[in-house]
Amino acid sequence: MADDRISSISDNSENGGLTRRALLAGTAGLSAAAMLPASARADFPVPAIPPLEREDYADARRRFRTNLISKGPSPEKAPPLDTPAGSKRVLYRGGPHGSIELIAWISPYEPSSKLKPAVLFLHGGNATGDGHWELMKPYADAGFVVMLPSFRGENGQAGNYSGFYDETTDVLAAATYLESLPGIDRNRFFLAGHSNGGTLALLAAMSRKFRAAVPISAGVDAWRYFRRYSGEIRFDESDPKEFIMRSSVCFAPSLKCPTLLLRGTEERPFDKDHQLLMDRARSAGVSIEARTLPGTHNGVVPGAVAESIRFFNRIAA
């Protein structure tokens, strides 16, 4: 499996006495200089508290187009995709208006009059590998149809890597493909993802409705991610909106389904941004939980898959 880096970075700086109301409301009215933690200056302005956007994320996406200054494939080099054992290789139409044909793997099943639940699982890292598919077996064993899509620019495929934005378009296209297959129960259509896939799962769950979502080791703050992985920036970093549109913490009230955030006990602990995401979501009436499970960033995935199955079955009961 690819090396799935932690998509969220803990910040040990304090809130500087800001009230809980200020945390929930964001940084409106603060100057750019005031938004910068003294110990965390970067080439692009980094807000001390990610702003809260009042617009629904799905509406914001319809009006926003990312401005890619540099265009090219995923930053993670990987071989072309084959078809792992126990999977069926399918093609779905990602990209703007279905302009890019991308590979996905799906668990074989026979459509019947008894509809089956389905899980769209989003892999970690910036490339797809057979090891990702090996982790999907418990879903199939539990009776779910599971699909693992690849994304633009990965493994030699067409499309330009954008860093969580246009990839979200691919996720939504993959969701449409999976839920439209014969024999799939749209009322039991779930979403999960690990690491970078967890980041995308949150953004996708803010874009359309799933029955429930389980982001695993997800990042919620694009400023922090790209401050750490600045070599992956392909967009115009002078435009704060580019970071906002990649940061689920800015759109927490837009979550459209019950959500369970999972992490490993040996990872960095949930930081203030994760708590802020939950506080903002709950203030809007969203059902959101967080839980830690034994394991490292990668090692937690098998346990998290099992936990997601329990969560999905509980929600659907």
Side-chain angles (χ1 to χ4, degrees):
M1 184 167 69
D3 179 17
D4 297 335
R5 296 166 305 183
I6 296 176
S7 302
S8 167
I9 303 169
S10 295
D11 186 346
N12 295 320
S13 62
E14 296 299 325
N15 290 330
L18 290 169
T19 65
R20 186 173 185 274
R21 180 178 297 177
L23 285 171
L24 290 173
T27 57
L30 293 178
S31 68
M35 292 167 64
L36 284 172
S39 61
R41 307 288 181 191
D43 292 336
F44 47 83
V46 179
I49 305 169
L52 174 62
E53 297 294 301
R54 302 297 178 180
E55 186 178 23
D56 183 80
Y57 186 62
D59 294 336
R61 281 188 64 85
R62 280 190 282 270
R63 281 187 275 277
F64 182 77
R65 295 292 181 272
T66 187
N67 180 18
L68 298 184
I69 303 301
S70 174
K71 295 183 178 181
S74 163
E76 186 173 336
K77 295 186 182 301
L81 293 171
D82 54 16
T83 306
S87 75
K88 177 183 176 182
R89 177 188 175 117
V90 298
L91 299 175
Y92 76 97
R93 306 295 305 190
H97 312 295
S99 60
I100 303 173
E101 195 170 61
L102 297 168
I103 295 169
W105 297 324
I106 190 168
S107 55
Y109 76 103
E110 291 296 329
S112 67
S113 57
K114 184 178 181 181
L115 301 180
K116 292 181 176 291
V119 179
L120 181 67
F121 193 95
L122 314 178
H123 67 77
N126 288 311
T128 315
D130 288 5
H132 290 122
W133 180 254
E134 292 172 10
L135 297 165
M136 300 298 99
K137 187 175 184 296
Y139 287 122
D141 291 344
F144 293 83
V145 177
V146 59
M147 175 174 165
L148 191 147
S150 61
F151 305 121
R152 64 187 59 235
E154 292 183 350
N155 303 80
Q157 296 182 97
N160 296 309
Y161 171 83
S162 76
F164 303 118
Y165 191 72
D166 288 335
E167 290 79 6
T168 302
T169 303
D170 296 338
V171 174
L172 299 174
T176 298
Y177 178 95
L178 177 56
E179 71 176 350
S180 299
L181 291 176
I184 299 298
D185 187 349
R186 294 190 177 189
N187 293 318
R188 291 184 294 162
F189 184 50
F190 303 100
L191 177 66
H194 172 240
S195 192
N196 285 2
T199 302
L200 289 170
L202 278 167
L203 295 171
M206 293 174 177
S207 304
R208 55 152 289 171
K209 188 174 181 179
F210 294 85
R211 186 67 183 87
V214 177
I216 305 162
S217 305
V220 303
D221 181 338
W223 289 277
R224 292 189 180 185
Y225 181 89
F226 289 108
R227 182 174 62 187
R228 188 175 190 190
Y229 300 117
S230 59
E232 295 184 12
I233 296 176
R234 304 290 175 82
F235 52 84
D236 180 6
E237 63 189 77
S238 70
D239 181 2
K241 192 72 172 179
E242 293 280 6
F243 293 93
I244 288 171
M245 294 301 295
R246 291 165 167 84
S247 299
S248 56
V249 70
C250 297
F251 293 92
S254 294
L255 272 170
K256 295 174 172 58
C257 64
T259 301
L260 173 62
L261 298 171
L262 296 177
R263 265 177 108 76
T265 54
E266 296 179 52
E267 295 190 67
R268 300 170 189 264
F270 275 100
D271 59 18
K272 293 188 301 295
D273 283 346
H274 285 87
Q275 187 61 53
L276 181 57
L277 170 75
M278 291 187 289
D279 288 345
R280 286 174 170 177
R282 287 169 178 163
S283 72
V286 176
S287 173
I288 186 168
E289 308 170 36
R291 198 168 303 152
T292 54
L293 301 172
T296 61
H297 181 68
N298 286 332
V300 74
V301 178
V305 167
E307 187 66 25
S308 73
I309 292 171
R310 285 190 286 271
F311 180 68
F312 294 152
N313 286 333
R314 173 164 66 86
I315 292 295

